[in-house]
Amino acid sequence: MTKPPSAFDALMSGARAAAAAAAKKKKSEQSQQPTASSSKKRKPSSSTLPTPTSTLNPNEEPEKEGPPPTKTRHVSSSSALQELKKRVPQLTAKPSKFDPSSVACWEKGTPVPFSLLALALDMISLEPGRIKMTDIACNLMKTVIYSTPEDLVPLIYLLAKRVAPAHEGLELGIGETSIIKALAEATGRTESKIKKLYQDEGDLGKVAKECRSSQSMMRKPEALTIRKVFNTFRLIAKESGRDSQMKKKNHIKALLVAATDCEPKYLIRFLQGKLRIGVAEQTLLAALGQAAVQSEEHSKPPAGIKSPLEEAVKIVKQVYSVLPVYDEIVSALLTHGVWKLPSTCNFTPGIPVGPMLSKPRKGISDILNSLQDVQFTCEYKYDGERAQVHYMENGSVEIYSRNAERNTGKFPDVVAAISRLKKSTVSSFVLDCEIVGYNREKQTIRPFQDLTTRPRKNVSVDNIKVDVCIFAFDILYLNGRVLLQDNLKIRREHLYASFEEETGVFQYATAITSNDTEEIQKFLDKAVGSSCEGLIIKTLNEDSTYEPSNRSNNWLKLKKDYLDNIGDSMDLVPIAAFHGRVYGAFLLACYDYNNEEFQSICKIGTGFTEEVLEERSKSLGSQVIPGPKRYYRYGDKMKPDVWFEASEVWEVKAADLTISPVHRAAVGIVDSDKVAEMYNVQKATQTKEKETTKQDGSESPKKQICSEDEDEDEDEVADEDVDVDVMHMKMKISELLSYTIVPIESQHFC
Ligand SMILES: Nc1ncnc2c1ncn2[C@@H]1O[C@H](COP(=O)(O)OP(=O)(O)OP(=O)(O)O)[C@@H](O)[C@H]1O
Ligand SMILES: [Mg+2]
Ligand SMILES: [Mg+2]
């Protein structure tokens, strides 16, 4: 999703929910997993890791340093850990050559030690390439399938940094303060000491590791297992009401007390929901597909499949886009095998499917070339929030965002409208639509920015400041029937027959069916004139099924931004920055000669190569001033981390200028108190970010992104853009083109 600042926020909040999200409630807690798919019985290794149920030693002394642990079981002997450490490097083997018994040095069938995951994550963190990362994740899964298949679900959730599927919205809900408190109590240090170490180190995970390793323990509590950690995370996520923070803290403390070696580091990082652990969703799904094929029982592909590994990965990804619930997929996979997945895991009302996405095209002729001899339709591309509305047989409604976040509480007006305007023949449906800010008096679409001022949760219908109109463009499910495989023409007929339109409340996306260049051009102009971003062109008849999560050639977007003749560059001055790994984002300002002031116009997230970003950060680092100059104009809500002397000018190519409630450019000229904002700079720079990620396969460049909120949830960006296409980059329209360092006479402005 590429949005102006506040949408970027929405993305980040989606990520937050997702990063903290987790497993399907009952299932994972019941550890109901099917049996091991490995049929060969191998002898457990002689040097087994002690299991959690082993030797209780009531005679041991409580440890001297730190509070005594609640349990006094002695488990994980350091020799067992050493043995595991010796074996773990084998996880980097090619999955086809990897023998899980070479790593599984604990008793088969017993819970898999958490240290295996922690050590594997250490290895993954050293791997820049996606392929190697996938191999390690795959081998890790193979090991778990071989040893203790019921631990596969918890393993996958931990790798995915979730505690439940995204749509359940279950979050760990712990702040850094609680983590620090728990860490202090678990290690017997003061909170201020931990804070100090954190400040010096910059990484609470490392602090945790150091504190643990420097703490001598007379006796150790039970060794952590993957399932124990995961179940505790779920408990943490579910604690609510009074004392919940305290209870959460105690859960964390119990985990920390039991953690050894590099375990504390990863526990903390999981709890913080940090990027530096885990694997992107698509990598995880690929690893799962491969691990499934290579696990013995179900490895035989049906006849005619030439490349089983690739095919299995495709199946797992496809099934996940229709039913994004690991519990279901893993269970089906272990019971019936990967080849039966498409029939064992199906679309389920109430669970959001991945939204179909579009590919950018540069112009109408480009579109006509791509879609020769194919019937297609053009629709307005509305600039709002994607919504998948599920209306269940019992009349309940759920609204999901593009990232499968549950948005129902944000749009009670949509819930009401949809229930009122569905025809009486309709008993259940899943609607794909764009929710757009709307001025009902003037009957006009409001800018995207206005929509983002709506609170995210617990909105009450009586207190809505920004009305919305639902622009419906697809229907995926109707009266108990899944329509994903029907072509768009049929789906549309169903859609048009299912609702009453009401201007400004519920409308069908404006559409024409034409392949005449001039007509399409006029339609595009009309779309832009009606505050839309451009058009989405969709195949109508053949090859026009709904493709969940796919950025498909059957949906092409034509944004006004992309057209060659629009978009000019502007000379802007960085006046402040927001922290990231280097500076995460800069606040840019234009110079107003009349008022002799710098007025903020946009934040620029990236759009530069890492090299240029590094260079600019360094250069501006020497221009830091204690606070904003009095001739800087910026919105009250802008809270950059550092301010700069106005010292250099950057040429920035922009797609669009819109009225901004935040920035101060052209204040008083454009609108009495509102101002212009170059928000598309951010849209495009975020896109660029995605491509960087894809191309080099690493995740680190994402750290450059900074949103209006904290930068803690960057990882979701990676998850969702695995299939961002390179075309996008070529036609990127707003980017940092060049920068010139122009000395600016500061006395001039004083
Ligand atoms: N008529 C429409 N049909 C499909 N999607 C539409 C339509 N109108 C608006 N949209 C929006 O456009 C998006 C599809 O564009 P794309 O696949 O590029 O996703 P995106 O990266 O979020 O797009 P963008 O940032 O350009 O809005 C959808 O997610 C939806 O929010
Ligand atoms: Mg986009
Ligand atoms: Mg959009």
Side-chain angles (χ1 to χ4, degrees), residues 1-3 357-358 379-382 386 402 434 473 509 533 536 538 551 555 557 559:
M1 184 163 70
T2 55
K3 301 266 185 223
L357 298 169
S358 60
E379 289 176 356
Y380 280 10
K381 184 175 194 302
Y382 297 92
R386 181 81 174 258
R402 159 161 172 174
E434 187 87 346
F473 50 78
E533 286 179 302
I536 297 217
K538 302 175 177 178
R551 197 174 284 281
W555 280 21
K557 63 179 162 182
K559 285 211 241 177

Side-chain angles (χ1 to χ4, degrees), residues 119-128 133 136-137 140 159 278-279:
L119 291 168
L121 287 172
D122 246 359
M123 277 166 33
I124 286 176
S125 71
L126 299 174
E127 285 302 337
M133 233 151 89
I136 298 174
L140 196 55
L159 282 172
V279 243

Side-chain angles (χ1 to χ4, degrees), residues 81-152:
L81 184 65
Q82 290 316 319
E83 177 63 29
L84 185 59
K85 275 188 173 177
K86 254 194 255 158
R87 293 171 172 228
V88 146
Q90 309 208 43
L91 288 175
T92 53
K94 275 266 136 248
S96 55
K97 304 244 160 66
F98 173 75
D99 173 8
S101 71
S102 67
V103 168
C105 55
W106 55 92
E107 204 175 322
K108 213 173 158 196
T110 60
V112 179
F114 181 65
S115 47
L116 173 73
L117 175 57
L119 291 168
L121 287 172
D122 246 359
M123 277 166 33
I124 286 176
S125 71
L126 299 174
E127 285 302 337
R130 211 170 270 270
I131 294 180
K132 205 81 217 158
M133 233 151 89
T134 314
D135 286 352
I136 298 174
C138 174
N139 291 335
L140 196 55
M141 290 177 196
K142 281 179 75 175
T143 309
V144 170
I145 293 173
Y146 159 80
S147 154
T148 318
E150 58 266 43
D151 280 356
L152 189 56

Side-chain angles (χ1 to χ4, degrees), residues 1-3 355-360 378-387 402 432-436 471-474 509-510 533-536 538 550-551 555 557 559 561-562 683 687 690 720 728:
M1 184 163 70
T2 55
K3 301 266 185 223
M356 183 164 172
L357 298 169
S358 60
K359 283 202 173 157
C378 309
E379 289 176 356
Y380 280 10
K381 184 175 194 302
Y382 297 92
D383 194 9
E385 239 183 277
R386 181 81 174 258
R402 159 161 172 174
D432 199 358
C433 58
E434 187 87 346
I435 297 179
V436 181
F471 286 97
F473 50 78
D474 218 321
T510 305
E533 286 179 302
L535 302 179
I536 297 217
K538 302 175 177 178
N550 195 11
R551 197 174 284 281
W555 280 21
K557 63 179 162 182
K559 285 211 241 177
D561 310 352
Y562 298 153
K683 286 193 170 194
T687 307
K690 293 177 175 184
E720 71 167 39
H728 212 125

